[in-house]
Amino acid sequence: MSTRRSFLKQAGSITIGFSILGPIACTTDNKDLALAEMPQPLTDPERIDSWIRLLEDGRIQVITGKMELGQGLSTAILQVAAEELNTSFNQLSLQLAETGVTPDEGITAGSRSMETSAMSVRQAAACLRETFFGLVVEEYETSVDNLEIENGNVLVKGVALPFTEILKSKNIEKAVFEPKELYGKTRRAFVGHPMHRPDLEKMVRGEAFYVQDLRFPGMVHARVIRTPAYNAVLAEVPEAEVADMPGFVKLVRNGTFLAVVAEKEFQAVQLQRALGGKVTWEVGEPLEQPEDIKAFIKSLPQDSNTDEDRGAYEEVAEGAAITHKASYSKPYIMHAANGPSCAVALFEEGVLHIWCHSQGVYPLRETIAKMVDLPLEKVHIKGVPGSGCYGHNPADDVAGEAALIAKEIPGKHVRLQWMRNEEHAWEPYGTAMVMEHEAVLSENGKIKGWNYELWSDAHSTRPTSGDPANLLPGRFLEPSFGTPGQGWRGGAIRNAPPIYTTNAFRLTSHIFQGPLRVSALRSLGAYANVFSIECFMDELAEKAGQDPFTFRLRHLEDKRAISCLGRLKLNVSEVSPEKGQGLGIGFARYKNSAAYCAVAALVEVTDGNPVVKKMWAVIDAGECINPDGLKNQTEGGMIQSASWTLKEAVKWNDTHISSIDWQSYPILRFQEIPKVEVEVVDRPETPPLGAGEAAQGPAAAAVVNAIYNATGVRVRDLPVGRVN
């Protein structure tokens, strides 16, 4: 059971303030997203930083500072609240991240939302239940043993007392405490079971749901005139040539940042196209175009560090029976969101309001406030789901751009949506990496020592520090905020230490700054690190004369890891690859501290063309709140990883990115998606673990190892493309 200390560690400053309030917008219908009154800033976290509120109509509002990214977080959070309050979903509403309204929970990232936000909501809901029980016991002189809770009522010997009647128009202001019981651990009527996702109906029916769907009366539309290169400078703008075009409202310029505003969206697109070909630019030094990405990366200036060194590798390597080396690489890859980024902004009465799909509304507010030179309390950001994206895509950039434009047109809602070529060409990519392994084996086929060197750019330049340089428009303003420095080093070495036992292990990281804009992309360095480690494990198994399952199991001590991999072995035990087919596996524990995930892939190679026929996974993410949600996360991760592994790579020329559409940046098409089976290991006695990024690395290794087993060709450099 969580203690108050652990709860505070999860949630930061936390107190529940239960009060009777008017309804607060919690959907993305336009009527709910219209601004009635600017929420007041959080000045007293002991009262306002709350997780549960009782609404005026008797419904219960659940509050989270996290964002729904398509991962099903909204449903899971409602499940834990429903469980503790024994309340059906139609009695609950959810308030997503919004500055001044929800807790500041930083960034929705790192697969930590269930571990932190959902568990905070769980404990707050349990405290609410026990608080109501205490009030009823005192008022009606009864025992807690006589009480039950159901759908917004406390039941006393069959008599239903609504929450509103129990409160009698009073407020409850009470700090979170350690509840006597968590129904999520003892009853599990809601958690641990598949639950219907209400948001899916809106998506399927094409109803207004995403930020892209927002429409406001009198709203105008904007488009940005993009520079031809990262380092281009705006020289001359022939405004007179577009001022008389249909729908023209305003030309917004600040340094090299240039945008057009029109009455209708297509008019804005036409203005963007017309002006884009007539603007004069001064382009700086050309981008280097390496023929050999591995050699290029290793030639860049580096910040090298020994991140781990135990067991004296040179000593255990001396006189070893078997020594094996291998070098792997991955290219720059995109988020490649299906829906281009979008935001709406309104500057009214000195306050800047923004609707966007940012994964961190509070950090973004601080960054935008500095960029547009407004006091923090004069910027209000409401999170609205976008079309789904894992990692730092351009959601923050488009919000910053919309803010800059809206400040120039007070009183008007300004809608800015990127085009497909902009999304591909200007997003922050996942960095290219090089991974080099050397290991020594004993005569009985055990790993004695392992030396790992990796080369990587930073994996996160999110706007978390309040520095406008981390927003794309920040670099183009006058004066310029510059470009991000070296980002978070820790992302590069995520999952770099193998989970397997060795007598000695040394990890050396070489962090460079490459030519392309990069930031966090799903699983960060774990995708490349696990891919290379798990392919190397297959190579070591072959050197040791052992099958891949046996070799891995011999080097595992964690009982849950052994169980997860053992279940996968059982699940594929009857798979018999046909001619031209191969079965491969991969395994990891995400971050070496979160979910365990074992993946197998059946791949068929015909005339050099690899096709993933089927994939299997076993995932142990501790207590499972929603099995369907966890399966969906794992399935999506496996398919996304297969696409990265087989097809995806960012390309560029001497000025900028050249892979700006789905032809030049191919991804798996629907007809190429394999059949997928996922087994969920539910451990209700343990805490939930982050799972959204657990499958990517193991899936990549499983696909590549399967290709080797089908063809005898070792692929070490991604994407696979054709197998020769």
Side-chain angles (χ1 to χ4, degrees):
M1 182 176 292
S2 299
T3 63
R4 184 167 187 242
R5 180 183 295 274
S6 66
F7 180 74
L8 291 170
K9 185 177 180 181
Q10 292 168 357
S13 173
I14 192 66
T15 295
I16 338 179
F18 303 115
S19 58
I20 303 297
L21 299 172
I24 296 176
C26 60
T27 73
T28 54
D29 294 335
N30 288 356
K31 65 182 189 308
D32 292 324
L33 287 165
L35 290 171
E37 182 178 343
M38 172 66 181
Q40 294 301 306
L42 291 174
T43 56
D44 182 5
E46 292 298 309
R47 281 184 54 100
I48 301 175
D49 191 6
S50 54
W51 300 90
I52 304 252
R53 290 174 183 167
L54 184 62
L55 301 180
E56 197 172 49
D57 59 4
R59 293 184 305 126
I60 300 162
Q61 184 182 62
V62 182
I63 302 170
T64 176
K66 298 293 187 178
M67 270 294 290
E68 175 61 63
L69 310 174
Q71 78 276 45
L73 172 69
S74 300
T75 303
I77 285 182
L78 288 176
Q79 277 180 261
V80 297
E83 185 75 71
E84 300 306 321
L85 300 173
N86 193 27
T87 299
S88 61
F89 270 28
N90 60 14
Q91 288 289 108
L92 302 174
S93 66
L94 182 67
Q95 168 72 54
L96 290 174
E98 181 175 357
T99 59
V101 176
T102 65
D104 178 358
E105 294 195 79
I107 301 290
T108 305
S111 297
R112 287 186 48 79
S113 295
M114 294 309 302
E115 298 177 48
T116 55
S117 192
M119 293 303 98
S120 298
V121 167
R122 165 182 276 178
Q123 191 160 356
C127 290
L128 175 58
R129 180 190 71 238
E130 294 187 5
T131 298
F132 276 121
F133 281 179
L135 291 172
V136 172
V137 166
E138 181 180 348
E139 177 74 16
Y140 294 90
E141 299 182 351
T142 186
S143 167
V144 171
D145 295 336
N146 296 326
L147 306 182
E148 279 291 341
I149 195 166
E150 182 178 341
N151 289 330
N153 301 286
V154 174
L155 307 181
V156 187
K157 297 181 179 180
V159 177
L161 300 176
F163 291 168
T164 51
E165 182 177 320
I166 296 170
L167 286 180
K168 298 177 180 177
S169 300
K170 297 179 181 178
N171 295 337
I172 300 177
E173 300 158 18
K174 193 168 185 177
V176 165
F177 53 89
E178 184 178 343
K180 296 177 181 178
E181 181 181 5
L182 291 174
Y183 286 179
K185 296 292 187 180
T186 59
R187 301 193 178 191
R188 288 174 66 83
F190 290 87
V191 303
H193 304 284
M195 296 296 290
H196 173 70
R197 281 182 59 177
D199 54 339
L200 289 181
E201 282 194 25
K202 288 181 174 286
M203 299 179 199
V204 172
R205 297 178 186 277
E207 298 177 15
F209 177 77
Y210 294 125
V211 65
Q212 287 90 346
D213 299 321
L214 289 182
R215 298 294 185 273
F216 294 98
M219 184 172 72
V220 294
H221 298 265
R223 286 294 190 275
V224 175
I225 313 302
R226 301 291 170 188
T227 68
Y230 282 132
N231 56 10
V233 175
L234 182 58
E236 186 177 349
V237 182
E239 180 176 359
E241 295 193 27
V242 295
D244 293 331
M245 288 183 64
F248 178 83
V249 173
K250 190 176 181 66
L251 187 70
V252 175
R253 178 180 179 179
N254 184 332
T256 294
F257 176 77
L258 182 65
V260 289
V261 184
E263 295 171 356
K264 298 179 180 180
E265 184 171 19
F266 188 57
Q267 291 172 338
V269 174
Q270 290 175 310
L271 286 166
Q272 180 191 42
R273 292 172 178 171
L275 193 57
K278 298 173 182 178
V279 172
T280 303
W281 308 94
E282 295 176 359
V283 180
E285 292 294 319
L287 290 174
E288 187 171 351
Q289 302 173 73
E291 293 184 7
D292 184 340
I293 187 70
K294 294 170 75 170
F296 172 67
I297 284 173
K298 294 176 71 172
S299 72
L300 294 173
Q302 302 159 15
D303 175 15
S304 299
N305 186 63
T306 301
D307 301 278
E308 187 172 337
D309 193 0
R310 55 176 173 80
Y313 175 76
E314 279 77 11
E315 292 182 13
V316 300
E318 189 174 347
I322 299 172
T323 301
H324 184 59
K325 300 179 181 180
S327 177
Y328 306 84
S329 71
K330 70 168 281 279
Y332 291 93
I333 55 177
M334 294 185 186
H335 296 81
N338 283 330
S341 298
C342 181
V344 177
L346 169 68
F347 186 59
E348 189 171 57
E349 297 180 357
V351 177
L352 180 63
H353 306 278
I354 302 168
W355 295 259
C356 67
H357 52 119
S358 170
Q359 295 176 19
V361 294
Y362 280 96
L364 180 61
R365 177 179 69 164
E366 181 183 1
T367 308
I368 288 180
K370 290 182 180 179
M371 186 176 71
V372 300
D373 194 24
L374 282 174
L376 195 63
E377 66 272 14
K378 296 297 184 181
V379 179
H380 165 231
I381 302 181
K382 183 175 182 63
V384 185
S387 60
C389 194
Y390 299 91
H392 180 203
N393 73 330
D396 296 318
D397 298 326
V398 73
E401 292 174 339
L404 287 166
I405 299 167
K407 272 204 73 180
E408 300 298 317
I409 313 177
K412 286 280 189 181
H413 289 85
V414 176
R415 180 180 181 272
L416 173 62
Q417 179 168 314
W418 283 21
M419 306 291 280
R420 169 55 51 200
N421 61 331
E422 295 175 87
E423 189 81 14
H424 272 40
W426 287 98
E427 68 147 273
Y429 307 112
T431 180
M433 292 178 63
V434 174
M435 301 77 68
E436 294 188 349
H437 298 272
E438 177 182 301
V440 291
L441 303 179
S442 64
E443 292 181 354
N444 65 353
K446 290 293 291 287
I447 303 173
K448 293 180 63 180
W450 192 321
N451 183 54
Y452 181 20
E453 288 193 71
L454 67 88
W455 287 258
S456 175
D457 203 332
H459 282 263
S460 183
T461 54
R462 292 178 183 271
T464 53
S465 61
D467 185 357
N470 287 38
L471 293 177
L472 181 64
R475 67 179 64 190
F476 296 120
L477 302 180
E478 182 59 47
S480 171
F481 288 96
T483 57
Q486 194 172 79
W488 182 46
R489 184 188 195 104
I493 61 172
R494 181 173 288 180
N495 273 102
I499 193 173
Y500 305 103
T501 57
T502 62
N503 295 332
F505 175 72
R506 182 169 60 210
L507 171 65
T508 307
S509 60
H510 308 280
I511 308 302
F512 61 83
Q513 281 192 271
L516 305 186
R517 184 185 184 214
V518 297
S519 192
L521 198 157
R522 197 177 191 183
S523 83
L524 283 68
Y527 166 70
N529 288 323
V530 173
F531 152 69
S532 66
I533 288 169
E534 288 298 294
C535 287
F536 194 59
M537 284 294 287
D538 258 35
E539 296 188 36
L540 292 176
E542 187 174 38
K543 292 288 184 181
Q546 300 170 25
D547 74 83
F549 276 112
T550 301
F551 186 74
R552 285 171 171 80
L553 291 168
R554 286 188 69 198
H555 291 87
L556 286 172
E557 295 179 347
D558 186 323
K559 292 181 179 179
R560 288 171 69 174
I562 293 169
S563 173
C564 187
L565 194 57
R567 285 173 180 258
L568 180 71
K569 182 178 180 181
L570 180 64
N571 292 349
V572 298
S573 60
E574 296 184 3
V575 177
S576 298
E578 300 175 1
K579 184 179 179 181
Q581 294 183 340
L583 183 71
I585 64 170
F587 171 72
R589 184 181 187 188
Y590 182 53
K591 300 181 187 175
N592 289 344
S593 62
Y596 303 80
C597 187
V599 177
L602 179 67
V603 178
E604 182 175 283
V605 182
T606 306
D607 296 328
N609 181 42
V611 175
V612 183
K613 306 296 288 185
K614 189 170 183 178
M615 302 182 83
W616 298 260
V618 176
I619 186 161
D620 174 357
E623 179 190 6
C624 177
I625 303 300
N626 186 341
D628 273 1
L630 183 51
K631 285 182 180 179
N632 292 343
Q633 283 277 280
T634 308
E635 290 173 357
M638 294 159 72
I639 293 168
Q640 181 182 47
S641 179
S643 181
W644 288 348
T645 302
L646 293 176
K647 293 176 176 285
E648 298 184 36
V650 175
K651 302 177 183 67
W652 68 93
N653 55 33
D654 62 349
T655 55
H656 200 55
I657 308 302
S658 57
S659 47
I660 58 173
D661 52 36
W662 298 119
Q663 285 70 46
S664 53
Y665 190 86
I667 61 174
L668 279 186
R669 303 289 180 164
F670 282 114
Q671 64 269 24
E672 297 174 289
I673 292 175
K675 295 180 180 179
V676 179
E677 288 184 11
V678 176
E679 178 185 352
V680 171
V681 180
D682 186 12
R683 298 185 184 273
E685 74 282 2
T686 64
L689 299 172
E693 299 168 291
Q696 283 71 21
V703 169
V704 172
N705 287 332
I707 290 172
Y708 173 75
N709 293 328
T711 65
V713 177
R714 284 280 181 202
V715 177
R716 296 193 178 106
D717 301 311
L718 301 182
V720 173
R722 295 186 61 82
V723 181
N724 298 317

